[in-house]
Amino acid sequence: GESVGLHLPTLSVQEGDNSIINCAYSNSASDYFIWYKQESGKGPQFIIDIRSNMDKRQGQRVTVLLNKTVKHLSLQIAATQPGDSAVYFCAENMGGQNFVFGPGTRLSVLP
Amino acid sequence: NAGVTQTPKFQVLKTGQSMTLQCAQDMNHEYMSWYRQDPGMGLRLIHYSVGAGITDQGEVPNGYNVSRSTTEDFPLRLLSAAPSQTSVYFCASSPLGMRSGNTIYFGEGSWLTVV
């Protein structure tokens, strides 16, 4: 999930497999993080969040892991389904209500 | 419950023309913001507002104006469109003081092309 300029990195997974999407965040002072899903032609949708006093948080079929030492965030999707195909991106926050968004990773689910 | 409504969905402008992207929310949120999204890049903050009568600049404010005369509406104005403003624009709103992802609502986006 690293930025490669104008081209979004793509992760292709087989339906039913687990997906891991990565994000490197920029500011060590960030203490709140969100993962968003964006389907084609739509606005971002909230998936899961995590605060810096945690290193793992689980939701329904999704898990977010936070490694503050290396400023790394990951999103794990269990049993990936065709409906999971979308662009996923992380957002970081250092306080206040403005967020810094990553460029995203395109997840493609293969039948 | 409409949430955040953006209009228009699609627009083509000629260089130098002006236009306004409309954003309205019906959740009585104090905080509203505008982002642009370009290929391979994350959302970048253009302007934001923490309440009626209050606006502030984000990361990429040049070429854009905003106003917040009511809690519900936060229009984004392009004063003299340039091809570099070709982008997808998203409006977002949230309650003030709540830093929680599930209280941030995004509109569906406005696709703007400047030729």
Side-chain angles (χ1 to χ4, degrees):
Chain A
E2 297 174 358
S3 174
V4 287
L6 294 180
H7 304 285
L8 276 182
T10 298
L11 174 67
S12 297
V13 299
Q14 292 293 139
E15 181 178 353
D17 286 353
N18 296 334
S19 304
I20 299 176
I21 301 169
N22 297 305
C23 175
Y25 64 92
S26 59
N27 197 315
S28 56
S30 294
D31 63 353
Y32 178 60
F33 306 88
I34 302 174
W35 275 102
Y36 283 99
K37 173 185 181 183
Q38 187 177 21
E39 295 175 303
S40 181
K42 298 202 168 179
Q45 296 172 268
F46 169 83
I47 303 173
I48 191 167
D49 58 1
I50 189 167
R51 300 192 186 274
S52 60
N53 60 352
M54 305 171 71
D55 53 21
K56 180 179 179 178
R57 189 155 189 241
Q58 288 185 289
Q60 189 175 12
R61 273 201 315 119
V62 294
T63 301
V64 54
L65 299 178
L66 174 62
N67 185 331
K68 294 182 287 292
T69 304
V70 295
K71 294 190 289 185
H72 183 267
L73 205 60
S74 69
L75 177 71
Q76 301 177 1
I77 304 174
T80 312
Q81 302 168 0
D84 294 328
S85 292
V87 173
Y88 291 81
F89 54 89
C90 65
E92 60 182 296
N93 177 276
M94 294 168 278
Q97 297 200 229
N98 293 337
F99 285 79
V100 175
F101 292 85
T105 297
R106 187 178 307 280
L107 176 65
S108 178
V109 181
L110 308 172
Chain B
N1 185 5
V4 178
T5 303
Q6 287 183 234
T7 55
K9 182 86 169 178
F10 300 98
Q11 182 72 50
V12 179
L13 281 179
K14 293 183 179 177
T15 297
Q17 284 185 317
S18 63
M19 79 154 298
T20 300
L21 298 177
Q22 302 290 346
C23 177
Q25 52 90 10
D26 60 359
M27 297 169 283
N28 204 31
H29 287 167
E30 301 94 338
Y31 181 84
M32 296 184 74
S33 54
W34 275 104
Y35 294 88
R36 60 178 289 172
Q37 186 176 39
D38 300 297
M41 300 182 72
L43 295 168
R44 291 184 292 166
L45 183 64
I46 304 171
H47 284 285
Y48 65 98
S49 168
V50 298
I54 305 168
T55 63
D56 210 340
Q57 296 181 347
E59 180 187 354
V60 288
N62 293 338
Y64 307 95
N65 271 1
V66 290
S67 60
R68 187 89 182 272
S69 55
T70 67
T71 300
E72 294 79 19
D73 300 298
F74 191 44
L76 178 72
R77 278 183 285 277
L78 281 71
L79 308 172
S80 177
S84 61
Q85 293 179 302
T86 294
S87 190
V88 184
Y89 292 85
F90 288 97
C91 180
S93 77
S94 62
L96 194 64
M98 290 188 65
R99 202 173 57 136
S100 177
N102 60 4
T103 63
I104 302 172
Y105 293 81
F106 284 89
E108 294 277 280
S110 296
W111 273 252
L112 177 66
T113 302
V114 183
V115 297

